[in-house]
Amino acid sequence: MILKEKTLYEDIMVKNSLLKQSIKNLLDLIPDPITLSSCEFDKNRLVLYGITPSKDIYNILMLPPLESIFNETKTYFYQMPNGWYRFKSENYLKSKQ
């Protein structure tokens, strides 16, 4: 029983470490002009919400890294009164068959 608990503990520690590193890598992707307000993720999907000064800045600085990681990326922009844009970025990995 102790061996099972030890194995479970080690598995949880490895998964937590991987998750922590994944979150750090995600936050390192965010360029300075872009502000991330929230994110949602699960095994095959990442949704980012944030603010960018322009669509061009997002498309030049943020989109290429996301497209290099995910199979499908969709971004929706909503212009704010000050000229900046709120964005929602939906990113999907195709599940392995």
Side-chain angles (χ1 to χ4, degrees):
M1 185 169 153
I2 292 175
L3 187 58
K4 279 185 175 182
E5 287 183 15
K6 180 181 180 274
T7 303
L8 179 62
Y9 169 79
E10 289 171 349
D11 185 50
I12 290 171
M13 291 303 293
V14 167
K15 287 180 181 176
N16 284 347
S17 178
L18 290 172
L19 180 60
K20 181 179 176 181
Q21 187 61 42
S22 295
I23 292 170
K24 182 185 179 313
N25 291 343
L26 168 66
L27 295 177
D28 287 345
L29 282 177
I30 311 301
D32 287 337
I34 295 174
T35 302
L36 192 64
S37 56
S38 69
C39 64
E40 302 169 3
F41 58 93
D42 59 31
K43 196 172 188 175
N44 296 317
R45 179 181 69 108
L46 170 69
V47 181
L48 301 173
Y49 299 90
I51 300 171
T52 182
S54 72
K55 292 179 185 181
D56 288 338
I57 288 177
Y58 177 90
N59 289 331
I60 292 169
L61 298 178
M62 186 76 179
L63 188 58
L66 291 172
E67 288 180 330
S68 72
I69 298 168
F70 295 94
N71 300 100
E72 184 180 353
T73 299
K74 298 178 190 174
T75 307
Y76 307 95
F77 294 98
Y78 312 94
Q79 191 164 19
M80 299 168 40
N82 65 359
W84 285 44
Y85 290 86
R86 289 197 178 278
F87 67 86
K88 177 183 179 184
S89 174
E90 298 176 354
N91 306 279
Y92 300 92
L93 290 173
K94 291 189 179 170
S95 59
K96 296 178 183 175
Q97 301 267 335

